[in-house]
Amino acid sequence: MLYLTNVKRSLFKLDQLQEAKKMNLGVVIFHLLLLSFVLAIPISLQVIQVFSTIQDDGKEIAQKIPDFTIEKGVLVTKDDAEGFIYQTDSIIFTFDPEGKRTADDISKDMLGNFLSIGLLQKELVVTLPATENINSLFGSNQLTIPYTSTQLNDLTGENLRERILENEMPWWLTPLTFLIAIYPAFLSLIITIAIATLFANLFSRMRGRYDGFLNNFKIIVFCSTVPVIITTLINLLNPSFIGDTFILIASVFIFLFSLNNHSDKKKII
């Protein structure tokens, strides 16, 4: 297959990548989606790791939760259990049946944690990271649910512990995370590829050759294969690495290498 041939060229025979212009555009877009999937691997693994950490930390916290019931919208403990604050790598948990703390106190507690949760005297408070997406989705990064709410009026210490300890990460979370992560990866990559194609057009004209934007786009997509793989490997080791500029420069460099080593010169008249 021509596609597999060009994939091999993009990995091992970079000087032959000018042949990628003969590819069908739909197949090229498929390869672009495949590269987006590769780019999405590091961030997807990070998200899954965060969920796994939260799940493990939640089970650790569950063992600390004392017996309690909700009576007339107020948290009531057995044996006069005292309040406490317990912190893990991802969660800071507050148990305050005496009403000493407020919802704002719970939010202020979150420094470097992913979640700040408070079982207060009259309400459950959950504070999420203050990001634009979370604020637009919920209106605020702080969720406050009174115990009078129908979701919480039957809450007890025993059933809360059971829910947390028995809770397992659903199997569909992993593929869903990858599907969600592909979207921003695809947008970022296609913008990078488009900019690289503009440079490819410029340099091909300077070499006395011009195949048109679409053909150079096809070539650049396959030229980006190795840079995308390298960027992904670096991101697995260093999540803060932003590879867009590297992919852009490396793809244009590979394009020039293939252009200089290609024998079929299409001169501009």
Side-chain angles (χ1 to χ4, degrees), residues 35-50:
L35 293 178
S36 301
F37 178 84
V38 173
L39 275 179
I41 290 175
I43 188 171
S44 299
L45 293 178
Q46 292 167 34
V47 171
I48 293 170
Q49 181 60 44
V50 167

Side-chain angles (χ1 to χ4, degrees), residues 67-84:
D67 289 331
F68 68 84
T69 56
I70 303 298
E71 299 179 8
K72 297 181 180 180
V74 177
L75 188 150
V76 178
T77 61
K78 293 183 179 180
D79 302 324
D80 296 324
E82 296 182 353
F84 64 88

Side-chain angles (χ1 to χ4, degrees), residues 61 65 68 70 73-75 91-96 101-104 106-107 115-127 141-149 151-153 155 160 163-164:
I61 290 171
I65 298 175
F68 68 84
I70 303 298
V74 177
L75 188 150
I91 304 172
I92 182 163
F93 176 78
T94 299
F95 185 77
D96 178 31
R101 311 200 75 210
T102 66
D104 288 340
I106 303 303
S107 296
L115 289 173
S116 181
I117 302 174
L119 282 174
L120 305 186
Q121 189 177 47
K122 297 182 179 181
E123 59 195 2
L124 166 67
V125 179
V126 179
T127 301
N141 69 315
Q142 184 188 87
L143 307 178
T144 303
I145 307 175
Y147 296 134
T148 53
S149 171
Q151 304 103 301
L152 298 180
N153 56 18
L155 184 67
L160 179 59
R163 290 178 190 177
I164 297 174

